[in-house]
């Protein structure tokens, strides 16, 4: 039957697909099909099925037609995008270390001798001469990084031509994806997950009649790889290759990589030949997919590639260990590990009507667009999807989530899918602590620590400074020099990154972490800043004060008084806010650890002399630059000069009401539009101004206009930071804990920025600084019940508007309060 269908399809060959040659349903077409974002399944979907249920499920009634409709799976190391094809299935694969490039020294030694001139030109108002000189001498060599690349693709074709009751879904609670349909009276089902326990992608294909599973399968890549059979394993294929990059001496430096697939069948027969895996008439098939590279690891950056690792052997080993386990136990172990993390938080935002709940996700996104607001359950799903993505792309021991997390189909993805450190990488980790996924923050600290050594070199060579520096982006090879163009001369990346280990400490109270990991990162970043700061001369905008120079407000330009535009200045507001944040935390850390008095005093002295945040007399807004320049793009996507509002806490409603008011005017000026991540950042900022309804307006814009059918954030194009930033923002509508008290404790604010649209609801498991975990239920916008677990003991200060409750807690104690924060 299957063979017959194949022949019929071959002869009829009626319509074209972009993924494959539609007229030729054969192994050859699998090989020759071009890899693009688009995909077309030759089968016809007669009708879709019903909501498959499951926790926060994303579900659809047709296969993905573009990559941005496919559904992501991942375990931090291995990633996959599932299209849910019927006749033509595509599973695009990633391995988190598969980066082009290699470890190199990008620092231009002519930088340092030109730095004083660059600085003087900027103090003299000759900004563009400074830009030109810095552009010549300070840029990285090369001027950019190489991309994170797709590992490859797994394609298979089946003889099914028409399906009904079609559903594909991703259950966020179990991290298991399903595709189900009926064809010729046979129910077909595919189930897939990527196990963080067993390091394999497992796909099980079943049908309710025997002998119905037939397909041809191939592994392929756009370049630099071959697919072949595996010696000693007749049911397997391996895709392998080496990136062809060479160093200046012509020596090969590229990573080697491999992906293996193995089919285990019940009934029918299976064989691998000529780079194709053929399964014929099986009752059931389980595919195991593994991947590996010979990347040496973030802790061995100078080595880069580890030639003792054989990626193919590693793949074979993962598979060998997984295939001996039975499917149900593999799946159970996977789900258990996923739920350990995912199940820590539950969010309910009132009721969504049954008719809406019955609709597939793409339809609900369209409705959000039509109505201008999302349904509340969609917000819950979007929130949990952000947590799901972090669990799937950033696990202890793996690479941190890059611009696309872990999911990239191209060889040259947008912005190389690198680590942008002037907002994007940091935003990826905003939900880590508050949404109870603290250990998923660790890959960011591994990367941060890996950057210290190369960053120290860059600090010395470019600026003659101590400590370490990172500019506006980095990669898997420790690139710390300025990239792209003069706007890349932004030496604030390390200082901002250093906020994260400090926050990890404030949430966990882990003193060993503070001492061993956070503090060295923070101190090194601060040492650079202390050396980099210069005193502004007489005649400048802030004589006698400390400023950064050169300086830049990412990635905005301004009009100089003579009408020309520039990007460079000294003392851009964001720099001052990041520095304020870092030095303040360093002082706190020194006090807690009772060490480094001399360094602490230096930090304090610098803080006292730092140029303060200024309000524009003309507009009442926070000034973005040292002078009240007009922005070239008034609605620029970066809202850098409000770093002090979020993610910093220098600007607060209670502590600095004038600055908070100026921040509000600034946000109004920036507008309610923007790229996906820009909207996500601004939602967080409106939350800090406790304007839940304005925050909700932007959240609605994000869902209606900057969210792809698979709920990936759309910059555009897809960029994952907006997912993570929005997830953190939804959490901060309900709980905030950034306001510190003199005794080192924090005040937890409940429902600080609750939109009217969410006036009923409950949340379980959100975390607050000081080591508290909060379960909260509210009605009519007011707390009904709250239960707070004190993980470490310590003083609990909790507030809801003017209501307060303060108590000394014991470790492990649960404090329960009712409306009005009464006990
Ligand atoms: C910054 C942003 C862009 C984009 C890029 C990855 O440069 O300004 O919008 O997000 O990072």
């Amino acid at each position: 039957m299957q063979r017959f269908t194949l022949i019929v399809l071959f002869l009829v060959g009626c319509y074209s697909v972009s993924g494959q040659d539609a007229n030729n349903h054969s192994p050859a077409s699998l090989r020759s099909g071009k890899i693009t974002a688009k995909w077309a399944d030759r089968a016809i979907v007669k009708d879709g099925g019903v909501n498959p249920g499951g926790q926060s499920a994303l579900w659809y009634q047709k296969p993905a037609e573009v990559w941005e409709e496919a559904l992501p799976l991942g375990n931090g190391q291995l990633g996959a995008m599932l299209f849910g094809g019927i006749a033509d299935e595509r599973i695009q694969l990633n391995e988190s270390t598969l980066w082009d490039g290699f470890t190199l020294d990008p620092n231009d030694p002519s930088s340092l001798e030109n730095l004083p001139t660059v600085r003087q030109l900027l103090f003299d108002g000759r900004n563009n001469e400074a830009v030109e000189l810095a552009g010549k001498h300070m840029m990285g060599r090369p001027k950019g990084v190489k991309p994170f690349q797709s590992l490859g693709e797994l394609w298979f074709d089946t003889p099914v031509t028409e399906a009904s009751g079609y559903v594909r879904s991703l259950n966020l609670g179990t991290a298991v994806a399903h595709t189900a349909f009926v064809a010729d009276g046979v129910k077909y089902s595919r189930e897939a997950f990527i196990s963080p326990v067993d390091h394999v992608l497992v796909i099980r294909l079943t049908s309710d009649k025997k002998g119905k599973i037939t397909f041809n399968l191939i592994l392929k890549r756009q370049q630099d790889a071959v697919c072949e059979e595996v010696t000693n394993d007749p049911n397997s294929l391996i895709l392998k290759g080496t990136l062809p990059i060479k160093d200046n001496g012509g020596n090969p430096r590229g990573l080697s990589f491999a992906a293996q697939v193995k089919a285990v069948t019940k009934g029918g027969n299976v064989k691998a030949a000529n780079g194709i895996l053929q399964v014929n008439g099986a009752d059931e098939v389980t595919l195991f997919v593994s991947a590996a590279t010979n990347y040496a690891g973030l802790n061995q950056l100078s080595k880069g590639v580890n030639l003792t690792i054989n990626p193919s052997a590693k793949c074979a080993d993962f598979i060998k260990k997984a295939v001996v386990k039975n499917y149900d136990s593999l799946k159970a172990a996977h789900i258990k590990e996923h739920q350990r993390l995912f199940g820590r938080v539950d969010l309910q935002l009132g009721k969504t009507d049954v008719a809406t709940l019955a609709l597939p996700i793409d339809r609900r996104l369209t409705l959000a667009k039509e109505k201008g607001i999302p349904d509340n359950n969609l917000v819950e799903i979007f929130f949990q999807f952000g947590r799901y993505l972090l669990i799937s792309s950033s696990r202890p021991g793996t690479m941190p989530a890059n611009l696309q997390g872990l999911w990239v189909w191209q060889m040259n993805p947008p912005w190389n899918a690198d680590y942008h450190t002037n907002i994007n990488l940091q935003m990826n980790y905003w939900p880590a602590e508050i949404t109870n996924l603290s250990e998923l923050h660790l890959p960011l600290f591994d990367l941060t620590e890996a950057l210290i050594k190369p960053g120290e070199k860059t600090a010395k060579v470019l600026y003659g400074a101590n400590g370490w520096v990172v500019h506006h982006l980095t990669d898997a090879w420790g690139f710390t020099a300025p990239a792209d163009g003069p706007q890349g001369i932004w030496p604030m990346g390390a200082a901002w990154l250093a906020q994260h280990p400090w926050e990890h400490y404030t949430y966990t109270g882990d003193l060993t972490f503070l001492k061993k990991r956070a503090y060295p990162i923070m101190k090194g970043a601060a040492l650079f800043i202390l050396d980099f700061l210069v005193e502004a001369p007489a005649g400048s905008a802030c004589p006698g004060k400390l400023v950064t120079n050169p300086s830049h407000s990412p990635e905005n330009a301004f009009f100089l008084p003579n009408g020309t535009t520039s990007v460079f200045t000294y003392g851009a507001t964001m720099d001052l806010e990041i520095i304020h944040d870092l030095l303040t935390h360093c002082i706190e850390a020194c006090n807690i650890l009772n060490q480094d008095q001399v360094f602490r005093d230096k930090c304090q002295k610098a803080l006292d002399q730092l140029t303060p945040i200024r309000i524009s007399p003309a507009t009442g807004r926070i000034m973005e630059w040292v002078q009240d320049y007009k922005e070239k793009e008034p609605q620029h996507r970066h809202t850098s000069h409000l770093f002090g509002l979020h993610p910093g806490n220098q600007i607060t409603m209670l502590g600095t009401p004038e600055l908070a008011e100026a921040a509000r005017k600034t946000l109004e000026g920036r507008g309610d539009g923007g790229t996906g991540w820009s909207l996500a950042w601004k939602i967080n900022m409106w939350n800090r101004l406790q304007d839940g309804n304005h925050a909700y307006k932007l959240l609605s814009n994000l869902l209606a206009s900057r969210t792809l059918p698979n709920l990936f954030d759309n910059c555009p194009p897809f960029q994952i930071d907006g997912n993570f930033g929005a997830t953190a923002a939804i959490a901060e509508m309900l709980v905030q804990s950034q306001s510190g008290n003199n005794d080192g404790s924090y005040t937890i604010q409940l429902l600080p920025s609750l939109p009217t649209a969410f006036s009923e609801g409950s949340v379980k498991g959100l975390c607050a600084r000081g080591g508290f975990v909060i379960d909260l239920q509210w009605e009519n916008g007011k707390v009904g019940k709250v239960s707070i677990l004190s993980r470490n003991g310590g003083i609990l200060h909790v507030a809801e508007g003017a209501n307060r409750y303060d108590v000394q807690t014991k470790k492990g104690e649960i404090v329960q309060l009712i409306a009005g924060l009464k006990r």
Side-chain angles (χ1 to χ4, degrees):
M1 159 68 192
Q2 287 82 12
R3 286 282 149 227
F4 173 73
T5 317
L6 278 177
I7 293 161
V8 170
L9 267 173
F10 179 77
L11 293 175
V12 174
C14 45
Y15 56 94
S16 84
V17 292
S18 56
Q20 300 184 34
D21 175 354
N23 295 339
N24 190 0
H25 188 81
S26 69
S29 72
L30 286 173
R31 280 201 205 92
S32 62
K34 237 180 117 214
I35 295 171
T36 69
K38 287 195 185 151
W39 187 251
D41 188 343
R42 281 166 295 187
I44 293 164
V45 179
K46 286 206 299 203
D47 55 54
V50 295
N51 189 341
Q55 194 179 357
S56 301
L58 273 62
W59 74 284
Y60 307 83
Q61 292 172 317
K62 56 181 177 48
E65 289 171 8
V66 286
W67 187 84
E68 291 81 0
E69 289 174 4
L71 292 170
L73 294 177
N75 65 0
Q77 182 248 340
L78 177 59
M81 292 289 283
L82 276 62
F83 284 65
I86 302 163
D88 301 289
E89 172 61 314
R90 172 181 184 188
I91 298 176
Q92 184 271 318
L93 301 167
N94 287 104
E95 208 286 342
S96 68
T97 61
L98 187 44
W99 279 78
D100 197 358
F102 55 87
T103 305
L104 44 76
D105 176 358
N107 305 303
D108 186 335
S110 73
S111 169
L112 189 54
E113 69 204 53
N114 286 285
L115 182 64
T117 317
V118 170
R119 286 182 156 158
Q120 195 55 51
L121 287 169
L122 287 169
F123 281 135
D124 292 345
R126 294 158 66 187
N127 304 49
N128 286 330
E129 288 169 63
V131 171
E132 207 186 311
L133 190 63
K136 265 192 206 138
H137 294 285
M138 297 182 78
M139 295 307 301
R141 300 180 312 175
K143 236 197 243 179
V145 297
K146 295 276 181 192
F148 174 68
Q149 295 188 333
S150 172
L151 170 65
E153 309 244 343
L154 186 159
W155 289 6
F156 61 84
D157 56 20
T158 78
V160 177
T161 53
E162 218 176 60
S164 54
Y166 178 91
V167 171
R168 70 187 168 99
S169 63
L170 171 63
N171 181 333
L172 301 182
T174 58
V176 176
H178 287 97
T179 305
F181 52 86
V182 178
D184 285 333
V186 181
K187 270 192 194 162
Y188 290 91
S189 160
R190 291 180 211 146
E191 189 168 80
F193 57 90
I194 298 186
S195 171
V197 184
D198 291 289
H199 317 289
V200 278
L201 161 63
V202 188
I203 309 157
R204 194 177 63 161
L205 297 90
T206 53
S207 64
D208 69 348
K209 294 212 174 87
K210 284 195 185 287
K212 291 292 173 191
I213 301 182
T214 290
F215 58 81
N216 298 307
L217 181 150
I218 191 170
L219 287 172
K220 62 194 288 172
R221 191 173 197 265
Q222 291 170 58
Q223 58 194 46
D224 312 323
V226 292
C227 173
E228 55 193 38
E229 298 80 65
V230 180
T231 334
N232 302 331
D233 194 347
N235 300 341
S236 293
L237 292 178
I238 187 138
L239 176 84
K240 55 185 179 183
T242 298
L243 301 183
I245 191 155
K246 294 197 167 72
D247 66 17
N248 290 342
N251 306 305
R253 295 294 302 269
L255 277 182
S256 293
F257 57 90
Q260 187 178 339
V261 58
K262 179 180 172 70
V264 175
T265 51
K266 260 195 206 155
N269 53 62
V270 51
K271 74 165 193 226
N274 305 319
I276 302 273
L277 188 72
Q278 290 184 306
V279 171
N280 238 302
D283 305 335
E284 183 182 309
V285 179
T286 308
L287 297 172
F288 293 85
V289 182
S290 61
T293 75
N294 64 356
Y295 180 66
L298 281 170
N299 55 0
Q300 295 185 58
L301 274 193
S302 54
K303 204 168 178 184
V305 171
N306 181 346
L307 293 173
T308 66
I309 298 175
N310 175 347
S312 304
K314 230 177 145 180
C315 285
D317 193 50
F318 284 141
I319 289 189
K320 199 171 129 204
K321 290 187 175 130
V323 290
V324 293
K325 303 188 178 178
N326 82 31
Y327 178 80
D328 289 337
S329 69
L330 283 168
K331 186 176 156 193
H334 158 75
I335 292 178
K336 188 168 170 218
E337 171 53 21
H338 179 71
Q339 284 185 340
R340 184 179 69 81
L341 298 165
F342 187 83
R344 290 175 187 168
V345 173
D346 181 57
L347 174 68
Q348 307 289 330
L349 295 172
K351 294 204 171 50
T352 301
D353 63 276
V354 180
T356 306
L357 290 176
L359 297 172
I361 292 294
D362 44 355
R363 180 74 195 114
R364 285 164 69 179
L365 276 172
T366 312
L367 279 181
K369 188 174 244 152
E370 284 163 15
K371 292 187 182 164
I373 53 165
D375 68 77
N376 283 2
N377 178 252
L378 186 61
V379 176
E380 292 164 15
I381 295 174
F382 193 58
F383 167 81
Q384 290 291 24
F385 187 57
R387 298 185 66 245
Y388 169 88
L389 291 174
L390 198 64
I391 295 169
S392 307
S393 64
S394 179
R395 280 179 167 269
T398 69
M399 301 297 283
N402 61 41
L403 280 173
Q404 297 193 186
L406 167 62
W407 300 278
V408 164
W409 69 268
Q410 304 96 319
M411 294 295 121
N412 287 298
W415 292 287
N416 300 309
D418 63 24
Y419 300 116
H420 261 59
T421 47
N422 67 1
I423 173 68
N424 319 86
L425 176 61
Q426 289 90 340
M427 185 181 279
N428 284 0
Y429 286 88
W430 289 349
E433 302 296 335
I434 188 169
T435 78
N436 215 332
L437 297 171
S438 185
E439 62 269 61
L440 305 188
H441 220 156
L442 298 176
L444 178 65
F445 309 143
D446 295 342
L447 174 69
T448 307
E449 284 167 341
L451 295 174
I452 292 179
K453 231 179 168 172
E456 283 173 349
K457 188 146 190 214
T458 303
K460 264 283 163 315
V461 176
L462 264 65
Y463 303 101
N466 287 305
W468 65 289
V469 64
V470 174
H471 291 81
H472 91 297
L473 58 78
T474 187
D475 60 6
W477 309 105
F479 187 94
T480 49
D484 295 351
Q487 80 277 12
I489 306 174
W490 181 80
M492 291 293 130
W496 189 345
L497 282 170
Q499 189 191 48
H500 282 251
W502 169 255
E503 291 295 9
H504 184 73
Y505 163 72
T506 67
Y507 276 88
T508 60
D510 184 342
L511 274 171
T512 312
F513 175 84
L514 177 65
K515 193 175 173 72
K516 296 253 155 67
R517 298 194 70 179
Y519 186 70
I521 292 172
M522 293 160 63
K523 184 176 177 187
L527 286 175
F528 170 77
I529 292 295
L530 292 175
D531 282 354
F532 180 66
L533 284 168
V534 287
E535 209 171 276
S540 69
C542 41
K545 291 281 182 196
L546 289 178
V547 287
T548 49
N549 182 348
S551 174
H552 165 64
S553 189
E555 301 171 8
N556 209 355
F558 52 84
F559 290 104
L560 289 161
N562 65 11
T564 59
T565 59
S566 185
V567 291
F568 259 21
T569 181
Y570 55 94
T573 304
M574 178 185 233
D575 293 356
L576 307 170
E577 292 172 329
I578 292 176
I579 291 168
H580 185 278
D581 198 78
L582 173 65
L583 299 184
T584 309
H585 295 156
C586 282
I587 292 167
E588 281 182 66
C590 288
N591 290 339
I592 294 165
L593 297 171
N594 196 15
Q595 65 184 45
D596 268 351
Q597 301 308 316
V598 176
F599 167 67
R600 189 197 65 180
D601 293 347
K602 277 191 190 154
C603 292
Q604 188 59 57
K605 195 164 164 258
L607 261 184
D608 295 342
Q609 209 188 333
L610 195 65
T611 306
I613 303 175
R614 281 136 307 147
I615 298 175
S616 155
T619 61
R621 298 176 190 163
I622 303 278
M623 276 165 55
E624 186 164 353
W625 295 279
V626 75
Q627 275 165 13
D628 203 4
Y629 297 126
K630 264 206 163 60
E631 308 100 326
K632 184 158 178 233
E633 256 186 81
Q635 307 211 320
H636 195 270
R637 58 195 179 281
H638 290 258
T639 324
S640 307
H641 43 322
L642 298 192
F643 174 96
L645 178 66
H646 184 280
N649 64 352
Q650 191 182 353
I651 303 175
T652 61
M653 299 276 286
L654 276 180
T656 59
E658 279 173 25
L659 289 179
E661 177 55 20
R664 191 180 60 76
K665 290 194 177 126
T666 310
L667 275 178
E668 283 167 355
R670 275 303 208 249
D672 296 337
T675 58
W677 64 262
S678 168
L679 283 170
W681 195 1
K682 288 189 284 197
I683 302 168
N684 279 286
M685 289 175 167
W686 282 110
N687 281 340
R688 292 283 171 98
L689 294 176
Q690 303 185 353
D691 191 336
N693 285 337
H694 209 128
Y696 177 74
K697 185 175 176 199
L698 271 71
L699 177 63
S700 300
N701 290 351
L702 180 68
L703 275 155
S705 67
R706 294 282 187 238
T707 302
L708 294 157
N710 61 1
L711 296 191
F712 271 173
D713 170 71
N714 198 9
C715 180
F718 162 49
Q719 207 170 282
I720 207 161
D721 43 12
N723 287 102
F724 293 133
T727 291
I730 294 165
E732 280 219 358
M733 288 174 168
L734 312 175
V735 173
Q736 290 180 24
S737 63
Q738 68 280 356
S739 52
N741 304 307
N742 288 338
D743 61 1
S745 65
Y746 294 87
T747 297
I748 301 171
Q749 291 167 300
L750 303 179
L751 308 180
S753 180
L754 188 74
T756 314
F758 304 156
S759 56
E760 321 286 325
S762 65
V763 68
K764 281 198 182 114
L766 289 186
C767 295
R769 290 172 185 80
F772 296 98
V773 187
I774 295 142
D775 293 357
L776 177 66
Q777 174 265 323
W778 65 94
E779 288 148 26
N780 296 324
K782 294 266 174 268
V783 172
K785 267 194 289 193
V786 56
S787 160
I788 303 176
L789 165 70
S790 170
R791 277 182 171 153
N792 303 330
I795 306 178
L796 166 68
H797 302 283
V798 53
E800 180 199 13
N803 296 329
R804 278 191 73 101
Y805 186 81
D806 308 275
V807 69
Q808 173 69 47
T809 63
K810 292 202 194 76
K811 190 178 163 109
E813 184 181 346
I814 296 176
V815 177
Q816 287 178 323
L817 305 173
I818 55 167
L821 299 191
K822 302 216 168 55
R823 214 158 182 172

